[in-house]
């Protein structure tokens, strides 16, 4: 496998992007905005930006046009987190980069620069993952939209990166999407520091009782449900199952779906998830 250098020279014929993929990339790109920062949480103190990085594992989350022949790509890298790169000449019809900078494809990326948007130097397709198809493809775009909206720029998340790779692999092998998505959503909130421990009641400081009903305060964690609560009620068993990543119980599956939708909506600050709505609409057809 030879590296593809990002410059303004023309290359071989590019592999076309599917219509569905183009539409969903556009949805995520438009909603994220030109710099993809409006919906992101406030940045924690980030590591100093390196001048040059080589052979970094990463995935393209989405891209949008930059000037006449270039692209800005939002990348999720293993050791540097979510970063923005300018891919010069990537829009040229014969650019090799058009066939490489595809979503859900494992890449080895090299870049340089100290600004928020750095310059892509080289991109190499690594391989090793089956392509996502049909509903799995839509689920993949849902994962990407979550990462764009909930992971701050330049905030490393190596554990979450590895979980993302595992999730793509599970979707590609047709593992049950509802379970796979719940596991990733929970991991995302944990790794970004906004999810609490589901095994302990925050009001009593006692272990969660499987037989009791609870609500989950998005800022504090589980507490016993009250009659006046409008938040989703879940059983203690559901909370403990989620902590163990055990979704074999159909009640746990149903309650965890409602709970995660509530928690994600809270941490998104009301920003809609466009890919989720597409999934819902397709299931209703």
């Amino acid at each position: 496998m030879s590296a593809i250098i990002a410059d303004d020279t023309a290359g071989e014929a590019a592999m076309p992007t599917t219509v569905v993929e183009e539409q969903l990339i556009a949805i995520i790109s438009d909603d994220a905005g030109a710099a993809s920062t409006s919906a992101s949480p406030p940045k924690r103190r980030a590591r100093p930006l390196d001048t040059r990085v080589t052979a970094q594992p990463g995935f393209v989350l989405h891209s949008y046009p930059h000037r006449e022949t270039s692209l800005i790509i939002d990348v999720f890298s293993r050791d540097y987190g979510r970063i923005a790169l300018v891919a010069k000449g990537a829009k040229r019809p014969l650019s090799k980069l058009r066939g490489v900078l595809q979503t859900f494809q494992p890449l080895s990326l090299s870049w340089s620069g100290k600004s928020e948007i750095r310059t892509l130097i080289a991109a190499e397709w690594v391989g090793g993952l089956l392509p996502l198809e049909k509903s799995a493809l839509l689920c993949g775009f849902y994962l990407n939209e979550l990462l764009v909206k909930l992971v701050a720029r330049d905030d490393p998340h190596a554990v979450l990166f590895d979980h993302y790779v595992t999730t793509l692999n599970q979707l590609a092998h047709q593992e049950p999407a509802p379970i796979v998505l719940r596991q990733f959503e929970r991991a995302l909130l944990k790794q970004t520091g906004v999810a609490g421990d589901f095994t302990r009641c925050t009001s009593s400081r006692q272990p969660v009782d499987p037989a009791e009903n609870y609500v989950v305060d998005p800022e504090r964690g589980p507490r016993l449900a009250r009659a006046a609560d409008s938040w989703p009620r879940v059983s203690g068993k559901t909370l403990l199952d989620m902590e163990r990543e055990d979704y074999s119980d159909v009640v746990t599956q149903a309650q965890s779906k409602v709970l995660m939708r509530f928690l994600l909506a809270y941490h998104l600050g009301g920003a809609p998830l466009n890919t989720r709505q597409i999934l819902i609409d397709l299931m209703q057809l």
Side-chain angles (χ1 to χ4, degrees):
M1 293 179 292
S2 59
I4 296 177
I5 307 300
D7 55 23
D8 291 326
T9 60
E12 298 174 354
M15 180 176 64
T17 307
T18 67
V19 174
V20 172
E21 193 169 352
E22 287 178 345
Q23 291 174 340
L24 287 168
I25 288 176
I27 288 172
I28 297 176
S29 301
D30 292 343
D31 194 72
S36 295
T37 57
S38 60
S40 298
K43 290 184 181 180
R44 289 178 274 177
R45 187 176 298 276
R47 64 196 294 175
L49 302 183
D50 292 347
T51 303
R52 189 181 185 95
V53 175
T54 59
Q56 174 66 204
F59 288 82
V60 173
L61 297 178
H62 77 82
S63 62
Y64 49 90
H66 177 67
R67 297 180 179 174
E68 293 185 1
T69 62
S70 301
L71 291 172
I72 300 293
I73 57 174
D74 207 336
V75 168
F76 188 37
S77 65
R78 189 179 193 279
D79 299 321
Y80 295 84
R82 190 170 69 87
I83 60 172
L85 301 174
V86 57
K88 295 182 179 180
K91 288 173 57 182
R92 291 174 181 263
L94 299 180
S95 171
K96 292 182 179 180
L97 287 174
R98 294 187 64 180
V100 174
L101 299 178
Q102 303 292 320
T103 52
F104 317 122
Q105 296 298 315
L107 302 175
S108 177
L109 300 165
S110 301
W111 65 80
S112 65
K114 292 184 177 181
S115 62
E116 184 177 1
I117 300 179
R118 279 144 278 181
T119 301
L120 180 67
I121 298 173
E124 180 181 357
W125 179 72
V126 177
L129 286 180
L130 294 175
L132 299 183
E133 299 178 345
K134 300 178 181 179
S135 62
L137 180 62
L138 295 174
C139 290
F141 278 107
Y142 172 67
L143 302 181
N144 286 6
E145 188 175 8
L146 286 177
L147 291 171
V148 167
K149 292 183 175 179
L150 288 172
V151 175
R153 286 266 177 84
D154 298 302
D155 193 7
H157 288 289
V159 174
L160 182 59
F161 180 89
D162 292 342
H163 206 299
Y164 176 75
V165 176
T166 298
T167 303
L168 293 182
N169 190 51
Q170 290 172 324
L171 291 172
H173 283 86
Q174 303 300 313
E175 295 192 24
I179 295 176
V180 172
L181 295 181
R182 295 299 87 74
Q183 291 172 334
F184 182 81
E185 291 165 348
R186 176 74 176 140
L188 174 60
L189 295 186
K190 275 187 173 181
Q191 294 302 317
T192 53
V194 297
D197 181 6
F198 280 2
T199 67
R200 188 164 295 274
C201 178
T202 57
S203 57
S204 67
R205 305 310 303 168
Q206 297 299 313
V208 164
D209 185 342
E212 293 285 357
N213 287 321
Y214 294 83
V215 296
V216 178
D217 186 322
E219 297 289 347
R220 297 176 179 83
R223 64 165 173 77
L224 288 170
R226 302 165 186 161
D229 283 328
S230 59
W231 293 344
R233 292 169 178 257
V234 296
S235 70
K237 181 182 182 303
T238 290
L239 294 176
L240 296 174
D241 284 348
M242 292 178 70
E243 198 68 29
R244 293 189 296 260
E245 295 191 350
D246 179 3
Y247 292 86
S248 56
D249 189 326
V250 293
V251 175
T252 296
Q253 292 178 29
Q255 291 187 347
S256 64
K257 177 180 179 179
V258 175
L259 176 59
M260 292 310 302
R261 182 175 298 177
F262 164 72
L263 294 176
L264 287 171
Y266 177 87
H267 292 296
L268 286 165
L273 286 169
N274 298 294
T275 46
R276 173 187 283 164
Q277 188 58 50
I278 292 174
L279 283 167
I280 292 173
D281 291 344
L282 287 177
M283 291 176 183
Q284 291 175 344
L285 293 179

